[in-house]
């Protein structure tokens, strides 16, 4: 099988790694990175049409899309117009992530549990609303903002500032034409990803990511500094509730709206005292959740993806290793703000059994690996306990060096 994976982060490396365990697969990755390069043929591209030309020329059997931007831009619709098979939701379905207004209105209409909210397209009305409400609130840009579009405002000043930044200064561009202002929720956060073929939805093992830059959940939000699977706070009872009241209900709601959702549906949930509520939906695999999830997947990933695309998920039985997986993200010092890249990385050969080092922002030049982004490497291990997996990860990290390396020391601590 010829497979094309689109993307260049740790998530895509994990997908390529899992697919590469099946020897019949010939994998291409566009554009890929320094680590993906060992398992797949990396291909450069500028626009979606270049990928279509490539897929037609190489007779690619299945294309798998990592990042949300391509899905929101309609890569699936374009591929399907050319008769090409592709894993991911189409442009309409991707709105569940690309428009928070769309997602919130859908949840409200169908009674899917989420934070109470108001929508504004006029900054003056948003300011007026904020002056009236008490306590912390959350201000969210409607559109895609690379994971930075949600501001938890603990004071009125920060809420007003968020409205100005998003709607007047347009720091996220057109994504800030509208905002959702919602109730602040408290509890443990969990990421539930599910395969979905439009009718059947099968949840993956639960997971959680560590979003804050510094230890003890301090500092700015990032794309993710670590992850674990399964999530220790997610009971079977909660899973049943989430399946019935959130996952299945969302797919049904979309179907009712005339939208067939195919691909991965990612529900970011807050486990509140009164039950799980949706913080956000993503239309794709999470990063760095995918890294730990795929380390525990027993099945052939390609078979599940093909069944998803063909609408045959009901014939799949998906199994997970009864182990714990831990991922620590090594970043360039300064991330998520300004950082330098281009430093050589050493010690990558030290990974042991059941340990994988996924590359995120790396580049291979003449056989040597250099830093090439904020999130650089994802060091992952699986074992019988969180503690053991965590120890393997941090022992591996001791051998890895690059200038200005930074990582959290408390991933999977005390779970
Ligand atoms: P989002 O982009 O909507 O997932 O928000 C990013 C992060 O902001 C979430 O992972 C939460 O940590 C936090 N967050 C979002 N919405 C809320 C909320 N209603 N209450 C508390 N925290 C939230
Ligand atoms: N880890 C959060 C995300 O993928 O959006």
């Amino acid at each position: 099988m010829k497979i094309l994976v689109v993307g260049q982060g740790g998530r895509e490396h994990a997908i390529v790694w899992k697919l590469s365990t099946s020897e019949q697969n010939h994998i291409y990755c566009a554009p890929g990175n320094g680590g993906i390069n060992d398992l797949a043929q990396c291909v450069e591209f500028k626009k979606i049409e270049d990928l279509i030309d490539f897929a037609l020329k190489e007779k690619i059997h299945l294309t798998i899309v990592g990042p949300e931007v391509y899905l929101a831009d309609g890569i699936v619709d374009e591929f399907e117009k050319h008769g090409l098979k592709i894993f991911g939701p189409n442009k309409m379905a991707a709105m569940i992530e690309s428009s928070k207004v769309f997602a919130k209105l859908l949840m409200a209409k169908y009674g899917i549990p989420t934070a109470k909210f108001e929508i504004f397209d006029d900054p003056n009305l948003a300011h007026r609303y904020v002056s009236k409400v008490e306590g912390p609130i959350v201000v969210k840009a409607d559109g895609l903002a690379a994971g930075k579009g949600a501001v938890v405002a603990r004071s009125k000043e920060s809420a007003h500032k968020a409205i100005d930044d998003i709607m007047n200064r347009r720091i996220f561009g057109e994504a800030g034409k509208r905002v959702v202002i919602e109730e602040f929720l408290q509890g443990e956060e969990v990421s539930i990803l599910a395969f979905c073929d439009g009718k059947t939805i099968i949840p993956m093992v639960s997971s959680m990511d560590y979003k804050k830059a510094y230890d003890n959940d301090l500092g700015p939000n990032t794309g993710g500094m670590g992850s674990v699977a399964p999530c220790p706070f997610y009971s079977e009872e909660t899973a049943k509730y989430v399946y019935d009241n959130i996952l299945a209900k969302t797919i049904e709601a979309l179907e009712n709206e005339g939208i067939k959702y195919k691909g991965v549906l990612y529900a970011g949930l807050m486990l509140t005292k009164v039950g799980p509520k949706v913080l956000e939906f993503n239309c794709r695999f999470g990063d760095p959740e995918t890294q730990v999830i795929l380390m525990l997947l027993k099945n052939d990933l390609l078979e599940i993806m093909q069944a998803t695309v063909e609408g045959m998920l009901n014939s799949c039985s998906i199994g997970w290793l009864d182990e714990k997986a831990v991922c620590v993200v090594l970043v360039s010092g300064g991330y998520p703000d300004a950082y330098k890249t281009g430093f050589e990385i050493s010690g990558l050969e030290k990974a042991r059994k059941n340990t994988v080092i996924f590359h995120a922002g790396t580049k291979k030049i003449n056989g040597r690996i250099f830093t090439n982004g904020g999130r650089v490497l994802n060091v992952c291990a699986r074992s019988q306990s969180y503690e053991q997996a965590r120890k393997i990860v941090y022992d591996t990290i001791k051998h890895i060096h690059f200038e200005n390396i930074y990582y959290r020391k408390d991933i999977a601590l005390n779970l």
Side-chain angles (χ1 to χ4, degrees):
M1 292 289 270
K2 283 186 165 185
I3 310 163
L4 171 63
V5 177
V6 181
Q8 59 184 336
R11 163 183 55 202
E12 288 76 18
H13 193 179
I15 293 170
V16 166
W17 167 80
K18 185 69 186 164
L19 292 169
S20 71
T21 52
S22 178
E23 272 177 20
Q24 308 96 301
N25 294 338
H26 185 84
I27 310 167
Y28 299 89
C29 189
N33 63 33
I36 291 175
N37 203 37
D38 290 340
L39 303 172
Q41 212 169 315
C42 292
V43 212
E44 290 298 324
F45 73 102
K46 286 206 174 68
K47 47 192 192 313
I48 291 177
E49 291 79 67
D50 300 340
L51 293 174
I52 293 174
D53 289 345
F54 180 82
L56 288 170
K57 188 167 129 264
E58 292 296 332
K59 301 196 168 49
I60 299 291
H61 295 99
L62 181 69
T63 297
I64 299 157
V65 187
E68 63 277 12
V69 274
Y70 304 115
L71 297 165
D73 279 350
I75 190 172
V76 170
D77 312 58
E78 294 305 315
F79 267 62
E80 286 179 347
K81 267 187 217 156
H82 288 83
L84 292 163
K85 297 239 187 280
I86 182 161
F87 179 90
N90 64 20
K91 188 172 179 156
M92 279 272 272
M95 277 177 69
I96 200 139
E97 174 167 4
S98 67
S99 170
K100 294 211 189 280
V101 169
F102 172 85
K104 291 299 276 192
L105 291 175
L106 185 85
M107 288 188 273
K109 182 168 172 186
Y110 292 92
I112 296 160
T114 187
K116 290 197 197 84
F117 67 99
E118 299 284 337
I119 296 164
F120 297 95
D121 57 12
D122 177 345
N124 297 324
L125 295 180
H127 281 301
R128 199 184 304 167
Y129 174 76
V130 162
S131 341
K132 283 190 306 197
V133 292
E134 289 306 319
I137 48 167
V138 187
V139 181
K140 297 182 175 184
D142 175 36
L144 292 182
K148 300 190 187 114
V151 179
V152 176
R154 292 178 191 277
S155 66
K156 284 203 192 300
E157 295 73 59
S158 59
H160 287 300
K161 181 174 180 309
I163 295 168
D164 280 333
D165 284 347
I166 296 171
M167 300 189 86
N168 295 330
R169 291 181 45 226
R170 288 287 170 95
I171 57 170
F172 306 120
E174 286 295 286
K177 254 168 82 173
R178 288 188 293 184
V179 291
V180 172
I181 300 185
E182 67 180 34
E183 172 198 11
F184 174 75
L185 299 177
Q186 276 173 298
E188 297 291 350
E189 273 189 66
V190 46
S191 304
I192 301 300
L193 283 66
F195 293 105
C196 179
D197 68 359
K199 301 186 293 282
T200 303
I201 182 156
I202 306 183
M204 302 182 208
V205 63
S206 65
S207 60
M208 64 177 192
D209 70 344
Y210 291 74
K211 289 201 170 60
K212 299 286 184 187
Y214 313 134
D215 285 10
N216 302 314
D217 287 331
L218 296 174
N221 259 330
T222 69
M225 297 295 289
S227 56
V228 302
C231 170
F233 313 113
Y234 198 65
S235 65
E236 271 187 31
E237 191 191 350
T238 310
K240 167 116 186 47
Y241 176 90
V242 167
Y243 182 84
D244 292 339
N245 295 282
I246 296 177
L247 300 175
K249 219 166 172 178
T250 301
I251 293 308
E252 233 177 85
L254 286 165
E255 204 179 0
N256 229 8
E257 298 294 313
I259 297 171
K260 207 173 178 63
Y261 192 100
K262 282 189 177 194
V264 171
L265 179 68
Y266 167 138
L269 307 176
M270 188 74 93
L271 306 180
T272 75
K273 279 198 194 117
V274 295
K277 293 191 181 188
V278 177
L279 291 174
E280 63 163 347
F281 281 118
N282 291 323
C283 64
R284 50 164 175 88
F285 280 103
D287 189 344
E289 290 94 331
T290 303
Q291 290 82 319
V292 280
I293 289 172
L294 292 185
M295 284 195 81
L296 298 180
L297 176 63
K298 284 187 185 168
N299 302 57
D300 181 315
L301 178 61
L302 184 63
E303 278 176 15
I304 303 175
M305 289 181 154
Q306 283 178 310
T308 303
V309 172
E310 304 298 344
M312 303 282 286
L313 256 188
N314 61 353
S315 65
C316 280
S317 139
I318 302 182
W320 304 95
L321 293 174
D322 185 17
E323 288 189 81
K324 317 292 183 203
V326 170
C327 164
V328 174
V329 178
L330 309 186
V331 305
S332 302
Y335 172 84
D337 299 320
Y339 54 82
K340 289 192 184 140
T341 61
F343 300 118
E344 184 161 9
I345 305 172
S346 63
L348 291 170
E349 64 291 345
K350 298 288 183 189
R352 291 184 291 170
K353 196 165 170 271
N354 295 340
T355 309
V356 194
I357 303 172
F358 295 118
H359 291 224
T362 73
K363 199 173 189 167
K364 197 178 210 171
I365 304 171
N366 296 329
R368 291 154 65 193
I369 303 286
F370 295 85
T371 66
N372 190 38
R375 291 196 285 175
V376 177
L377 297 166
N378 309 147
V379 183
C380 304
R382 64 177 166 82
S383 192
Q384 291 309 319
S385 66
Y386 294 111
E387 205 182 332
Q388 190 57 27
R390 173 186 145 76
K391 184 172 177 338
I392 299 171
V393 167
Y394 282 106
D395 282 349
T396 307
I397 292 175
K398 282 187 202 144
H399 300 284
I400 301 176
H401 297 285
F402 57 84
E403 211 168 306
N404 291 340
I405 187 171
Y406 172 77
Y407 53 92
R408 275 180 64 160
K409 314 289 185 291
D410 65 344
I411 304 299
L413 185 63
N414 300 329
L415 293 183

